[in-house]
Each structure stands twice: as structure tokens, then as C-alpha cells.
């Protein structure tokens, strides 16, 4: 999917909810016209693909689109669809129901074929051994990634692309990291959660479900840019519920705007995506400077608190983690009992040391199993975002 999210390939992007549209420059001389109706679960693309929805329609839903007036070709499509929907005769209703069932059956068949292909690919990797992966050409990786996208399991495609990146980056732990990812893909073949396969749920659909109101502290943030799509992720802690949720925004053009004001405490209603800790924003009542967030007394207690998250989502790679009264000892942050976790030597740590002057502080960061990416601290009773 990543190749279809290259900003220079998309033109005329816009949305007038529930309708999204854009022009995609593909292999033909004329850009493909791509249009999606989120409310109806319908899509239209002028590409020659026989798949529905096609890869361009799926990719369009991942982009952060500006509000705009629909162009003529979008208006024509929505009007034709509306005219068909006005036909309430039993024959028309039955015809639309058959079409929806046919679309669902086609996607289920494509996804099943994709999972079978994943099993074969994993068997190939296991037979040759992890040590053979650095010798695989880029075309071998890209061919399988494209196959998974065509099978409408973009989550698998993204996981394989991540393995390719780990192999290319090398490093002292690459074999164990790759083995861990391969194990996750093996489990995915049997459990098959839709969120991890990459089945998208329209944000409007999520907002129509019951929400959770809380005072959410947007405490931790991670921004990534793969050269095609920029993404910002926020980990927000609910002061009343004590639960963490993740807010994600993507953008193919410009920097994505965080879902909640970062570093502030916002009284807001959020709507959880099915089978995920990701949320969509409902009503936002207001934001204020946050009070300190209570942190566990030790790293041991902090790591133990991650068990429910791991049980709920064994494929999760980043976890919000905090500990009270830590000090920097070498390349690690040590708690009061002397237990320590490695910390990334980056601008977040530099900012924390500058603000604290070396005195103990409460630390919050993102833990990836190897090191902590420091994101926020509490010193002298004041919460400070450092990354």
C-alpha cells in the first residue's frame, strides 16, 4: 500500500464527509478517478482492477484529506448512486443486498487466499533459515508485499515490509527481532484479527458507536515519515479510567495534526475502534494544563502492568511505560531500588536532564522491549513534555 500513498502521485485530494476523492497517477496516461462513500461502504475507481474495493480506494481512506467542495465527477457519481438508492422496490433492495454480499464474499475469498500465501511464505523462510534473508533481492520482498496488498491484507504487507527494514538495517539483534516478527505472523495465520490484517473501519462508522468520556492526557507522541506518508501517534491516559488509548493521524501532504492537543489534558469523548486500543475523537469540550500523572514506584511494577495490553494484543510493539523517582545511571534510568532500563540517548533525554539538573524525576516513555524513548517527565510537581 505504501507505493499508492506517495504524495506526488495523488492530486485533487478532498473530502465532504462521508465522501472522499482524489486523482491517482498510475501506469496509464490519465490519472485514475478514485471516490469512496464511507457511509454506504461503496467505492468507485477508473483503474482496470477487477477487485472491489481496489487498492487505490483502500489507500485513499488512509490519507488525511482536506475539506473541499466535490468536483463535478464526484457529484455525478454520488447523484447516480443516490438515484439508485431511491429505488425502494423489493427487487432493488434485494439487488443491493446481493451486491453487498457478493462484495463481502469476494473480499473474504481474497483475504483467505492471502493468508494461505502467508503460510507458504513463512514455510519458505523457515526452510531456508533466517540467515538467508539478507541475501534475498529487493524484488523478492516487493513481490510478496504487493501480493498481500492485492489480497486485501495490507496489515500483513506492512509487517513484511517491517521485517525487510530490520534485515536491511542489520545490527546486533536483527536475527532475534526478525524471529519475533515471524512468530507474530505465524500467530496471525491462526487468530486473524481484522485490525491486524489491515481491514479498515471508516472513522464515521467508529464515531457512530458508543464512546468513552474522560479527561485524556495526551502524554506521549511518536512521529514517523517513511518518505511517502507521515504519521503521528499519541498515547493518551484517561485520568478517571486509568486506561491508555492511541490516537493516530496520517497525512500524505504536510504534517499531520495530532488528534488531541498534545501535552494537555482534554475533556473529550472518544470512540474505540473494534478490537483495538485506537480511538476516534468525538466531542472535545476543552483542554487545560495537566496535573502530574501518577507513575508506578518501580520498573518491575511498571513492566508487570503491561500484561493486560500484551494479552489483548500480542502484536503490539510499543508500550507506554512510567516510573517514579528515577535517575540517569550511564545509559539507563534507575529506580529507587536500583533496577534500571536502557534509555534512548536522544533529544528527549537531553531535555529531561536540562529541566531536572540531575535530580530524580518521574519518567514516562515508549518501551519497545529494548530501550525507553523518553517522552514526558514530572519534576517539582509539574508535568513536562520533552518529545
Amino acid at each position: 500500500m505504501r507505493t499508492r500513498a506517495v504524495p506526488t502521485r495523488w492530486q485533487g485530494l478532498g473530502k465532504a464527509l462521508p465522501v472522499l476523492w482524489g486523482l491517482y497517477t498510475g501506469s496509464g496516461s490519465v490519472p485514475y478517478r478514485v471516490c469512496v462513500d464511507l457511509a454506504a461502504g461503496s467505492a468507485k475507481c477508473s483503474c482496470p482492477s477487477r477487485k472491489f474495493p481496489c487498492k487505490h480506494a483502500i489507500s485513499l481512506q488512509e490519507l488525511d484529506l482536506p475539506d473541499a467542495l466535490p468536483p463535478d465527477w464526484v457529484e455525478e457519481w454520488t447523484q447516480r448512486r443516490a438515484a439508485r438508492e431511491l429505488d425502494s422496490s423489493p427487487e432493488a433492495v434485494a439487488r443491493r443486498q446481493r451486491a453487498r454480499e457478493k462484495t463481502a464474499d469476494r473480499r473474504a475469498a481474497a483475504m483467505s487466499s492471502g493468508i494461505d500465501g502467508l503460510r507458504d511464505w513463512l514455510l519458505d523462510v523457515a526452510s531456508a533459515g533466517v540467515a538467508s534473508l539478507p541475501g534475498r533481492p529487493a524484488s523478492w520482498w516487493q513481490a510478496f508485499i504487493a501480493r498481500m496488498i492485492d489480497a486485501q491484507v495490507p496489515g500483513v504487507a506492512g509487517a513484511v515490509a517491517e521485517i525487510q527494514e530490520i534485515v536491511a538495517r542489520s545490527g546486533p539483534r536483527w536475527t532475534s527481532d526478525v524471529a519475533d516478527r515471524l512468530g507474530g505472523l505465524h500467530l496471525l495465520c491462526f487468530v486473524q484479527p481484522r485490525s491486524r490484517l489491515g481491514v479498515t473501519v471508516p472513522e464515521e462508522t467508529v464515531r457512530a458507536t458508543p464512546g468513552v468520556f474522560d479527561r485524556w492526557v495526551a502524554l506521549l507522541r511518536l512521529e514517523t515519515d517513511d518518505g511517502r506518508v507521515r504519521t503521528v501517534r499519541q498515547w493518551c491516559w484517561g485520568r478517571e479510567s486509568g486506561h491508555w488509548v492511541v490516537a493516530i493521524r496520517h497525512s500524505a501532504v504536510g504534517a499531520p495534526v495530532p488528534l488531541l492537543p498534545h501535552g494537555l489534558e482534554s475533556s473529550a469523548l472518544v470512540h474505540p475502534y473494534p478490537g483495538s486500543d485506537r480511538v476516534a475523537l468525538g466531542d472535545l469540550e476543552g483542554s487545560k494544563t495537566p496535573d502530574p500523572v501518577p507513575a508506578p514506584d518501580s520498573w518491575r511494577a511498571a513492566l508487570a502492568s503491561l500484561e493486560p495490553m500484551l494479552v489483548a494484543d500480542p502484536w503490539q510493539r510499543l508500550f507506554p511505560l512510567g516510573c517514579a523517582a528515577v535517575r540517569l545511571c550511564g545509559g539507563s534510568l534507575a529506580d529507587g531500588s536500583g533496577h534500571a532500563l536502557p534509555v534512548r540517548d536522544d533529544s528527549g533525554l537531553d531535555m529531561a536532564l536540562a529541566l531536572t539538573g540531575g535530580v530524580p524525576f518521574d519518567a514516562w516513555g515508549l518501551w519497545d522491549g529494548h530501550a525507553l524513548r523518553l517522552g514526558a517527565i514530572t519534576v517539582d510537581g509539574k508535568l513536562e513534555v520533552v518529545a
Side-chain angles (χ1 to χ4, degrees):
M1 179 178 295
R2 293 304 184 195
T3 58
R4 281 171 290 286
V6 178
T8 55
R9 291 195 175 186
W10 284 100
Q11 308 168 42
L13 292 166
K15 68 179 179 183
L17 293 176
V19 180
L20 320 174
W21 64 86
L23 300 174
Y24 180 81
T25 304
S27 57
S29 58
V30 179
Y32 301 141
R33 292 179 172 183
V34 191
C35 192
V36 175
D37 187 330
L38 297 175
S42 182
K44 176 70 173 178
C45 182
S46 60
C47 75
S49 174
R50 295 182 179 181
K51 296 181 180 296
F52 181 84
C54 71
K55 53 195 176 185
H56 309 109
I58 295 173
S59 178
L60 181 65
Q61 298 176 57
E62 293 293 322
L63 305 180
D64 187 19
L65 307 178
D67 293 318
L69 292 175
D72 292 342
W73 62 273
V74 174
E75 289 281 13
E76 292 173 5
W77 180 72
T78 54
Q79 288 172 6
R80 287 198 303 269
R81 288 197 63 261
R84 290 196 299 268
E85 292 295 331
L86 288 175
D87 187 353
S88 58
S89 65
E91 294 81 6
V93 172
R95 185 170 59 251
R96 289 195 292 270
Q97 179 61 29
R98 287 195 301 271
R100 285 192 289 267
E101 291 174 353
K102 187 177 180 180
T103 297
D105 290 343
R106 281 200 299 261
R107 174 153 200 182
M111 294 175 65
S112 178
S113 175
I115 294 300
D116 289 341
L118 174 60
R119 291 192 178 99
D120 292 340
W121 185 82
L122 289 171
L123 182 60
D124 176 33
V125 172
S127 299
V130 171
S132 69
L133 291 178
R136 299 282 190 172
S139 58
W140 180 81
W141 294 96
Q142 293 306 313
F144 185 71
I145 290 171
R147 180 182 174 187
M148 292 298 98
I149 292 172
D150 289 340
Q152 300 189 43
V153 283
V156 175
V160 174
E162 183 182 1
I163 294 175
Q164 181 188 12
E165 182 180 350
I166 293 172
V167 173
R169 195 168 56 237
S170 188
R173 290 191 302 262
W174 79 267
T175 53
S176 59
D177 287 345
V178 167
D180 178 48
R181 269 44 171 203
L182 292 173
L185 285 175
H186 179 71
L187 178 62
L188 195 66
C189 290
F190 297 92
V191 182
Q192 299 181 27
R194 293 175 67 83
S195 60
R196 285 297 175 182
L197 292 177
V199 177
T200 58
V201 180
E203 191 170 292
E204 293 302 304
T205 302
V206 175
R207 286 203 187 105
T209 62
V212 179
F213 187 85
D214 207 332
R215 291 178 291 150
W216 301 102
V217 183
L219 191 62
L220 303 172
R221 176 175 61 183
L222 179 63
E223 295 188 21
T224 56
D225 184 351
D226 64 2
R228 305 176 182 94
V229 174
R230 299 176 69 176
T231 302
V232 59
R233 290 177 172 83
Q234 289 177 298
W235 281 259
C236 308
W237 180 74
R239 192 169 293 279
E240 297 177 11
S241 65
H243 293 158
W244 289 91
V245 297
V246 181
I248 304 175
R249 295 294 298 273
H250 303 283
S251 178
V253 182
V257 178
L259 197 68
L260 289 171
H262 196 68
L264 299 182
E265 182 173 321
S266 301
S267 298
L269 182 71
V270 300
H271 302 269
Y273 279 72
S276 171
D277 56 3
R278 182 182 176 182
V279 296
L281 179 62
D283 296 327
L284 176 61
E285 294 188 356
S287 304
K288 68 180 186 72
T289 302
D291 296 325
V293 174
D297 294 332
S298 67
W299 287 124
R300 187 184 297 274
L303 291 170
S305 70
L306 301 182
E307 182 181 3
M309 298 184 193
L310 277 168
V311 172
D313 185 359
W315 298 273
Q316 191 168 346
R317 301 296 176 189
L318 287 175
F319 300 90
L321 195 68
C323 184
V326 300
R327 287 180 179 272
L328 182 65
C329 296
S332 301
L333 291 177
D335 60 20
S337 63
H339 291 94
L341 289 185
V343 62
R344 288 173 62 100
D345 185 7
D346 56 16
S347 59
L349 179 60
D350 292 341
M351 180 67 73
L353 294 177
L355 290 172
T356 62
V359 301
F361 58 91
D362 294 356
W364 287 98
L366 294 172
W367 173 249
D368 63 2
H370 300 305
L372 187 76
R373 183 192 297 266
L374 200 59
I377 64 170
T378 299
V379 60
D380 296 331
K382 185 179 180 181
L383 183 64
E384 297 278 359
V385 171
V386 297

